[in-house]
């Protein structure tokens, strides 16, 4: 079932969903099941599975020179989605990204997902390679999420890359990302909203937000979206803080602000255990306010570590 159909079927009730990471290359799919099992009692209608681009490592040749080698540390998104559907009977939402993938590789992944009966994809540009700092697209791939979105829409219309006639149409429900504090590369929030609206007008059917720690920023973002005739469901994405280090790492990596009250509470923590308690309680209060406001779904970034998310869900669902 499509994400938007799950939302409509809920008739105003706030749904629970979460995102997991594929395991590191060579690890068993059981690690995925171990992350999902504790959260199934809260009846998630869908589970997101991230996609990860290549990273580079350097291998020393016999002549002493270094060879730059591309590797993917977390492969297997398509297979994991199939495993989730088979084991749990819930919908899987694979992330499809621009970075590190050619148009042909993207089409092949989408064809495989369609064969498996997967109804949803979340279309993202993706991040830059850690060692490079700036996003660079595959020479034969897409530079922007809007271009990737168009490729999925083309398949939904039966238009494949190298076919002169239209073939079997896919039927993906397409989600996109939204940034309550704007994408860090956008010159302004107004500009960011312009491109968000463009993607909705192209055919994106729902939005999942970047993590945020101040609900006012989410509510303001939704209000600005509605003012700009962006009327699709906007699902808030939440990430509980679990370590003291994240107080500095999350703002640096994800370009989000932490409220002063949260920072003050974290600075008073003596270790990660107390920081985790603060993070969980903050996320619970965030979630309660969002749920009372009637958000369509509460979507949690678990990093495949489910026990913290379970504590939050126990207070909400």
């Amino acid at each position: 079932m499509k994400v938007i159909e799950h939302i409509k079927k809920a008739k105003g009730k706030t749904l629970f969903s979460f995102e997991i990471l594929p395991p590191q290359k060579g690890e068993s799919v059981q690690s995925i099941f171990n992350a999902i099992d504790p959260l199934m009692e809260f009846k998630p209608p869908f589970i997101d599975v991230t996609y990860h681009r290549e990273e580079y490592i350097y291998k020393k040749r016999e002549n002493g020179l270094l060879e730059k080698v591309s590797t993917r540390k977390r492969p297997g998104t398509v297979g994991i989605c199939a495993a989730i559907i088979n084991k749990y009977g819930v919908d899987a939402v694979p992330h499809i990204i621009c970075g590190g993938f050619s148009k042909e590789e993207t089409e092949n992944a989408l064809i495989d997902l369609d064969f498996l009966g997967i109804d949803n994809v979340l279309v993202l540009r993706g991040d830059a390679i850690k060692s490079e700092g700036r996003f660079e697209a595959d020479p034969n791939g897409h530079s922007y999420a809007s271009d990737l979105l168009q490729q999925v829409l083309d398949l939904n219309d039966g238009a494949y890359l190298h076919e002169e006639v239209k073939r079997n149409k896919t039927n993906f429900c397409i989600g996109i990302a939204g940034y309550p504090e704007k994408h860090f590369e956008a010159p302004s929030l107004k500009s960011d909203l312009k491109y968000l609206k463009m993607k909705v007008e192209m055919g994106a059917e729902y939005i999942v937000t970047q993590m945020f720690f101040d609900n006012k920023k989410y509510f303001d973002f939704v209000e600005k979206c509605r003012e700009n005739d962006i009327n699709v469901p906007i699902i808030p994405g939440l990430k509980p803080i679990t370590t003291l280090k994240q107080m500095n790492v999350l703002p640096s990596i994800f370009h989000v602000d932490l409220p002063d009250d949260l920072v003050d509470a974290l600075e008073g923590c003596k270790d990660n255990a107390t920081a985790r308690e603060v993070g969980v309680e903050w996320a619970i209060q965030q979630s309660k306010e969002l749920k009372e406001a009637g958000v369509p779904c509460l979507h949690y970034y678990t990093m495949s570590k489910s026990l913290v998310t379970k504590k939050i869900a126990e207070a909400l669902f």
Side-chain angles (χ1 to χ4, degrees):
M1 187 184 295
K2 296 182 177 184
V3 168
I4 56 167
E5 292 173 344
H6 283 297
I7 292 172
K8 289 176 182 176
K9 186 178 177 182
K11 296 180 180 179
K13 178 183 177 183
T14 298
L15 301 172
F16 165 81
S17 69
F18 58 93
E19 172 188 295
I20 59 169
L21 308 177
Q24 297 252 355
K25 182 165 56 179
E27 292 182 7
S28 166
V29 73
Q30 186 58 45
S31 64
I32 291 294
F33 298 153
N34 292 343
I36 293 174
D37 285 346
L39 300 177
M40 289 308 297
E41 66 178 281
F42 308 109
K43 298 181 174 24
F46 56 90
I47 298 169
D48 278 39
V49 183
T50 62
Y51 222 126
H52 292 256
R53 68 171 302 164
E54 83 281 11
E55 296 180 22
Y56 289 124
I57 59 174
Y58 291 87
K59 290 187 176 181
K60 199 169 189 178
R61 293 180 174 178
E62 291 181 1
N63 59 10
L65 297 176
L66 293 177
E67 179 183 8
K68 189 177 182 181
V69 179
S70 173
T71 181
R72 280 197 173 93
K73 288 187 176 181
R74 294 183 182 273
T77 295
V78 173
I80 291 166
C81 287
I84 288 172
I85 293 172
N86 180 64
K87 181 174 175 64
Y88 300 104
V90 302
D91 286 302
V93 183
H95 293 191
I96 303 294
I97 64 174
C98 297
F101 295 89
S102 68
K103 295 172 186 175
E104 286 77 11
E105 288 172 323
T106 296
E107 183 173 277
N108 289 336
L110 290 166
I111 289 170
D112 287 345
L113 293 169
D114 185 52
F115 282 158
L116 292 168
I118 290 171
D119 297 323
N120 305 279
V121 292
L122 188 69
V123 168
L124 308 163
R125 189 197 70 173
D127 298 323
I129 297 172
K130 293 177 183 177
S131 59
E132 295 186 351
R134 178 172 178 159
F135 178 83
E136 294 289 341
D138 184 279
N140 298 307
H142 299 295
S143 296
Y144 302 101
S146 57
D147 297 329
L148 179 55
L149 169 63
Q150 187 59 59
Q151 185 175 1
V152 182
L153 291 167
D154 286 344
L155 280 182
N156 278 355
D157 195 39
Y160 291 71
L161 286 174
H162 305 300
E163 298 290 338
E164 294 182 1
V165 296
K166 290 187 177 181
R167 302 289 183 182
N168 179 60
K169 294 181 181 181
T170 58
N171 190 27
F172 293 113
C173 171
I174 308 168
I176 54 176
Y179 298 86
E181 298 174 64
K182 92 170 182 62
H183 191 280
F184 73 99
E185 293 179 6
S188 68
L189 182 58
K190 180 180 178 181
S191 173
D192 209 14
L193 288 168
K194 179 179 73 173
Y195 289 105
L196 186 66
K197 181 178 180 180
M198 178 187 75
K199 287 183 277 191
V200 170
E201 289 177 340
M202 288 172 64
E205 296 180 79
Y206 69 98
I207 296 166
V208 182
T209 76
Q210 174 63 284
M211 68 180 72
F212 58 91
F213 295 89
D214 182 348
N215 284 351
K216 185 177 186 305
K217 294 185 177 180
Y218 168 81
F219 294 133
D220 288 347
F221 175 69
V222 172
E223 183 179 352
K224 287 183 174 68
C225 284
R226 303 314 185 212
E227 289 172 355
N228 284 274
D229 293 322
I230 301 171
N231 295 311
V232 297
I234 301 176
I235 297 173
L238 300 172
K239 165 73 175 77
I241 288 180
T242 56
T243 67
L244 284 170
K245 185 179 179 182
Q246 288 176 352
M247 179 170 54
N248 301 111
V249 170
L250 293 179
S252 174
I253 294 178
F254 297 102
H255 306 276
V256 295
D257 289 334
L258 302 187
D260 290 337
D261 288 350
L262 177 57
V263 174
D264 290 344
L266 290 169
E267 287 179 340
C269 295
K270 60 183 180 180
D271 52 30
N272 286 337
T274 51
R276 185 163 51 249
E277 291 177 5
V278 168
V280 167
E281 184 57 32
W282 188 272
I284 287 173
Q285 297 310 314
Q286 263 196 284
S287 300
K288 285 182 176 179
E289 184 179 23
L290 291 164
K291 189 177 181 183
E292 288 171 2
V295 299
C297 181
L298 290 170
H299 186 71
Y300 295 93
Y301 300 118
T302 70
M303 307 299 288
S304 293
K305 297 176 182 178
S306 56
L307 294 184
V308 168
T309 304
K310 182 177 181 179
K311 286 184 179 180
I312 297 165
E314 285 173 340
L316 272 293
F317 297 95

